[in-house]
Amino acid sequence: MRTRLICVLLLGSSFAVMAAGQSSSGGPAAQEPALPYTPSLDLASMDKLADPCVNFYQYACGGWKKNNPIPADQTSWSVYAKLYQDNLQFLRGILEQASVNSGQRKAVTQEIGDFYAACMDEAAVEKQGLAPVQNYLDAVAGLKSAKELAPLIARLQMVYGRSVVFAGGSTQDPDDSERVIAELDQGGLGLPDRDYYTKEDAKSKETRERYVLHVQKVFELMGENAETAKKDAETVMRLETAFAKASLTRVERRDPYKLKHKMKVAELDTLAPKFDWKGYYGVAEYPTFEILNVATPDFFKEINARLTAEPLDNWKTYLRFHVVDSASPFLSLAFVNENFEFYRKYLRGAKEQQARWKRCVQYTDHQLGEALGQAFVEKVFSPELKQSTLDMVRRIEDSMALRIQRLDWMSPETKEQALKKLHGIRNKIGYPDAWRDYSSIKLTRDDFADNMARTSSFERHRQINKIGKPVDRKEWGMSPPTVNAYYDPQMNDINFPAGVLQPPLYDAKLDAAPNYGNTGGTIGHELTHGFDDEGSQYDATGNLKNWWTKEDRTKFDARTKCVEDQYAGYVVVDEIRINSKLTLGEDVADLGGELLAYMAWQDATKGLNLTPRDGLTPEQRFFVGFAQWACENDRPEEQRVRAATDPHSPGQYRINGVVVNMPEFAAAFACKAGQPMTKPPEKVCKVW
Ligand SMILES: [Zn+2]
């Protein structure tokens, strides 16, 4: 459960994002796996008619936006999304070969091959209908008392996770990053964020009405008549609204101290005495432990209150819905379709369901990522690529060290601590040293829903079994094919999966300018997360411990406030502006990352005689290379969901919002004072 602390470059995918929909076998099978090539600086993606000093994003990405309409089955489309789709096509080839039951497959090949084959066997899935979840529904129906809720919730969470009332698992101790302790956190909602339940604007009200209709539809698919289903849907909505009101907002959750409430197990019985914690932990098979962190105590007080206030039948109604709603993407077509209609079509604007093979490749990557990843890196990630990336990382870290040393506002004491933290960062590139072993999971070729349940349960047990053991610093939180990267403040490490180190992001065929602008900026972005408003509260060992003098912290906060104020002015869609208290860490990382990349690029090419290419100076190529990572088109529905849930600003501001703070940019394009892509020197935001 480190996800809430991990700062990623992009919004992470989840089943709610990618899951579900109608049947489609979708096009011819993939041939021998190969990834297509697009250069990291693509002239055709530019709009040369646009003035870079007026709207740089349009200048660098206007051609891309025009040439890349959003595919009908997508909610947004971007350079990153396109590369991920290429990866899926590539992985499809691997999986189709792996799924041939030749009798001579390696164990890992058999795992991913059988999982994929079962997912693709639509006839078998269809025949099963609601059967895969029937034993869970029977267990819910058989509940006799509120006391029996706890062990049942534990059992359901092993498969369906935090969608069942709350989240339980493990975390690094915020005060001692070497130790793993148990953790409890809020959850239990069907809409993407707690704010969906509380906001009073017309669109939020409409979304709630549509959600209740969705819940009703799911009950009808379970066999209820319309009247009962409607009543049950209202019960679910009422319970979830109570949970939502007791939940912290995303902005509140960016303050790690608001999420730190360590207590002894016995204290849980004071916090929520109506919940049978012993029964809960027994069924989930936790090792014995004494200390846990309750991220959101008020949430658990509310759960406790509901245990008394709600008749048992209301709890049963809530649980029945969440079992089926969570499992819907893996059930028969009627459930898959309803899930698509609400979550992906209504909420996010997709026009069509993704082909089944696409969904099945994503499920395999999500559930067995380090088995599928082995075949992926074998084919696309060479030792040379790892070496050249590490070289870039080192140069960017050197630039950061130099920047820290040169800061005119920071005291020597704080600088010393900042440098200590910088030198403590671990760099993880490409893929893990040791692969996760899935061999204990029983996987079959003919029961997709069961494979999903077993792999989810395996992962949940794996997280729980970490409690009391030393932290595994070599572990990865993303699979190798993932087109994304992250910094983890408790691990104090940066992680770059092989999937993000491919063209057009990292392009071994091109020179340093676009590569530093693009991947160099991403490395700098992740590094800066260690020093953004949130990450900077953790020390070199990953403990939540202040290493700043009071004066320096005050000055630092004023600097991040400059960024917060700047982004607060940007419009996302219609009347919605960026919630810049939510995006602050990412905005600071975007700015810091590009400054570091520019410095490192200048250092890497010192003494070389760089010449213009394609009518662009080397400096201009650096900035166009930078901007072209973020080219994107988004559906307005998707923009709304992201404005509420995504800590990243929209692509155009991740570019234009950065370059206005870089005099190096204005110099490269000879922008004049007063033009939109410049700021008066006294207004320029400068954090690091
Ligand atoms: Zn980030």
Side-chain angles (χ1 to χ4, degrees):
M1 288 209 323
R2 287 176 288 107
T3 30
R4 68 153 197 266
L5 294 169
I6 286 175
C7 304
V8 298
L9 184 73
L10 295 158
L11 177 67
S13 73
S14 71
F15 281 145
V17 177
M18 73 186 193
Q22 61 221 67
S23 149
S24 162
S25 60
Q31 298 304 305
E32 185 61 26
L35 279 172
Y37 171 73
T38 316
S40 73
L41 196 168
D42 190 3
L43 296 176
S45 292
M46 297 173 68
D47 172 6
K48 290 282 195 69
L49 296 175
D51 183 343
C53 300
V54 173
N55 184 345
F56 181 56
Y57 184 74
Q58 177 62 26
Y59 173 78
C61 285
W64 191 96
K65 283 171 70 71
K66 203 167 135 235
N67 298 332
N68 292 278
I70 307 170
D73 67 349
Q74 299 295 312
T75 61
S76 65
W77 198 231
S78 64
V79 168
Y80 268 57
K82 204 163 178 253
L83 176 54
Y84 183 59
Q85 291 290 311
D86 290 342
N87 282 355
L88 292 182
Q89 186 69 42
F90 178 79
L91 294 169
R92 179 193 192 186
I94 291 172
L95 285 168
E96 290 194 347
Q97 286 176 5
S99 66
V100 177
N101 194 359
S102 67
Q104 297 167 358
R105 293 176 297 170
K106 282 196 297 187
V108 171
T109 310
Q110 188 173 336
E111 284 159 15
I112 56 174
D114 287 353
F115 186 93
Y116 182 74
C119 181
M120 288 301 288
D121 189 350
E122 270 192 289
V125 171
E126 201 54 34
K127 218 169 115 190
Q128 287 218 329
L130 202 54
V133 294
Q134 197 55 54
N135 56 346
Y136 299 121
L137 295 177
D138 291 346
V140 173
L143 275 174
K144 300 264 183 316
S145 68
K147 190 171 189 300
E148 289 175 10
L149 269 170
L152 179 60
I153 287 171
R155 185 178 156 200
L156 298 177
Q157 282 178 353
M158 293 315 283
V159 178
Y160 304 116
R162 74 183 311 145
S163 69
V164 183
V165 192
F166 61 87
S170 63
T171 186
Q172 271 170 279
D173 185 337
D175 302 312
D176 178 4
S177 67
E178 291 302 330
R179 205 159 78 122
V180 184
I181 59 174
E183 185 168 63
L184 291 171
D185 200 353
Q186 67 194 37
L189 306 180
L191 285 166
D193 186 79
R194 50 93 63 207
D195 286 355
Y196 279 82
Y197 296 83
T198 56
K199 283 167 80 174
E200 284 301 323
D201 59 286
K203 185 73 189 169
S204 298
K205 284 180 181 165
E206 181 209 285
T207 304
R208 285 198 289 274
E209 279 162 23
R210 290 293 294 257
Y211 177 60
V212 172
L213 286 176
H214 162 67
V215 180
Q216 180 183 339
K217 188 79 197 294
V218 172
F219 279 120
E220 285 177 30
L221 289 173
M222 284 188 246
E224 290 186 3
N225 65 41
E227 199 190 329
T228 313
K230 187 167 183 287
K231 201 174 99 296
D232 284 349
E234 279 157 11
T235 300
V236 170
M237 190 60 180
R238 203 167 43 72
L239 262 174
E240 287 188 16
T241 305
F243 296 168
K245 285 181 176 161
S247 297
L248 291 182
T249 66
R250 280 177 199 258
V251 171
E252 287 166 337
R253 293 177 67 84
R254 294 199 65 247
D255 176 351
Y257 288 94
K258 286 208 167 84
L259 297 174
K260 190 182 107 163
H261 308 279
K262 279 160 63 178
M263 56 181 77
K264 295 206 172 93
V265 186
E267 290 173 75
L268 270 179
D269 293 326
T270 315
L271 183 72
K274 296 279 175 198
F275 196 81
D276 176 15
W277 292 106
K278 206 160 171 250
Y280 173 82
Y281 282 115
V283 166
E285 298 175 349
Y286 276 64
T288 311
F289 63 91
E290 280 169 20
I291 299 283
L292 82 159
N293 185 52
V294 180
T296 51
D298 287 345
F299 181 85
F300 288 91
K301 283 182 194 158
E302 178 62 26
I303 297 294
N304 192 67
R306 293 285 128 200
L307 283 170
T308 317
E310 298 288 336
L312 189 60
D313 275 347
N314 290 356
W315 280 101
K316 288 185 183 181
T317 300
Y318 168 87
L319 290 176
R320 270 193 300 137
F321 168 71
H322 276 278
V323 165
V324 176
D325 198 49
S326 306
S328 283
F330 323 120
L331 298 176
S332 54
L333 201 53
F335 293 94
V336 169
N337 284 350
E338 176 52 31
N339 199 267
F340 168 78
E341 285 294 325
F342 180 72
Y343 285 110
R344 210 166 150 87
K345 191 173 177 183
Y346 170 72
L347 265 187
R348 295 178 180 267
K351 306 288 177 214
E352 280 175 18
Q353 173 62 289
Q354 297 183 93
R356 184 147 188 114
W357 71 262
K358 246 188 230 183
R359 285 176 277 146
C360 289
V361 174
Q362 290 175 75
Y363 296 145
T364 315
D365 182 35
H366 193 273
Q367 302 296 94
L368 298 169
E370 291 197 10
L372 180 57
Q374 294 181 36
F376 180 78
V377 298
E378 224 169 72
K379 294 200 156 83
V380 306
F381 200 72
S382 65
E384 295 77 36
L385 185 53
K386 184 161 185 166
Q387 208 39 56
S388 60
T389 312
L390 275 171
D391 180 60
M392 198 184 252
V393 171
R394 260 181 232 115
R395 285 180 188 279
I396 285 167
E397 285 175 345
D398 289 349
S399 300
M400 183 74 180
L402 215 55
R403 285 192 84 86
I404 291 170
Q405 281 154 7
R406 286 179 188 163
L407 290 176
D408 56 10
W409 55 272
M410 190 183 271
S411 70
E413 300 98 284
T414 308
K415 280 184 183 179
E416 196 189 321
Q417 294 303 316
L419 288 167
K420 203 169 144 196
K421 174 155 186 179
L422 175 66
H423 294 135
I425 292 176
R426 283 180 185 74
N427 302 314
K428 284 150 70 181
I429 308 293
Y431 55 92
D433 295 338
W435 297 103
R436 195 162 299 156
D437 178 7
Y438 300 105
S439 61
S440 64
I441 311 173
K442 184 175 165 272
L443 296 167
T444 63
R445 287 177 73 83
D446 57 3
D447 197 339
F448 172 48
D450 205 36
N451 286 347
M452 283 299 305
R454 286 176 196 275
T455 45
S456 293
S457 175
F458 167 85
E459 175 58 18
R460 237 84 59 199
H461 276 296
R462 199 178 71 77
Q463 297 296 346
I464 287 169
N465 286 331
K466 289 177 180 175
I467 295 167
K469 298 209 182 84
V471 167
D472 176 8
R473 302 235 170 225
K474 292 182 170 173
E475 185 182 4
W476 281 65
M478 281 180 182
S479 75
T482 306
V483 187
N484 209 339
Y486 69 91
Y487 169 78
D488 183 333
Q490 286 185 288
M491 289 288 194
N492 198 24
D493 64 11
I494 56 176
N495 299 258
F496 284 80
V500 81
L501 297 169
Q502 306 293 326
L505 302 175
Y506 185 79
D507 186 350
K509 290 189 179 146
L510 276 190
D511 56 306
N515 275 319
Y516 271 86
N518 189 325
T519 295
T522 307
I523 295 167
H525 171 105
E526 300 307 342
L527 201 64
T528 306
H529 270 315
F531 304 90
D532 71 20
D533 63 311
E534 188 177 358
S536 61
Q537 300 180 63
Y538 294 83
D539 70 7
T541 55
N543 291 331
L544 192 52
K545 194 172 164 196
N546 179 46
W547 46 269
W548 296 72
T549 66
K550 201 160 168 271
E551 298 72 36
D552 288 338
R553 190 74 206 187
T554 306
K555 288 180 195 161
F556 174 76
D557 290 345
R559 284 166 182 269
T560 58
K561 184 77 171 50
C562 173
V563 177
E564 189 186 316
D565 291 345
Q566 178 191 324
Y567 282 76
Y570 294 143
V571 173
V572 181
V573 60
D574 300 334
E575 76 290 356
I576 301 175
R577 282 173 196 273
I578 291 180
N579 178 358
S580 64
K581 284 187 163 60
L582 176 62
T583 62
L584 181 56
E586 298 298 335
D587 298 333
V588 166
D590 282 339
L591 174 58
E594 218 45 40
L595 286 165
L596 291 176
Y598 193 83
M599 236 176 119
W601 170 60
Q602 291 206 312
D603 180 59
T605 55
K606 197 170 42 194
L608 297 179
N609 181 26
L610 302 179
T611 50
R613 273 200 214 180
D614 309 314
L616 297 169
T617 67
E619 288 77 13
Q620 290 172 341
R621 296 180 73 248
F622 172 92
F623 283 107
V624 174
F626 158 51
Q628 286 192 343
W629 85 256
C631 301
E632 68 181 29
N633 285 313
D634 302 297
R635 299 198 193 278
E637 295 90 342
E638 172 76 12
Q639 288 174 320
R640 278 184 178 272
V641 175
R642 287 203 196 166
T645 60
D646 189 352
H648 304 88
S649 294
Q652 56 171 316
Y653 304 121
R654 297 190 70 176
I655 303 306
N656 288 351
V658 167
V659 298
V660 293
N661 289 314
M662 288 183 74
E664 297 89 340
F665 169 81
F669 287 91
C671 300
K672 295 184 191 69
Q675 288 194 287
M677 292 294 104
T678 66
K679 273 185 183 178
E682 72 278 8
K683 293 243 166 99
V684 166
C685 300
K686 211 171 148 200
V687 181
W688 287 99

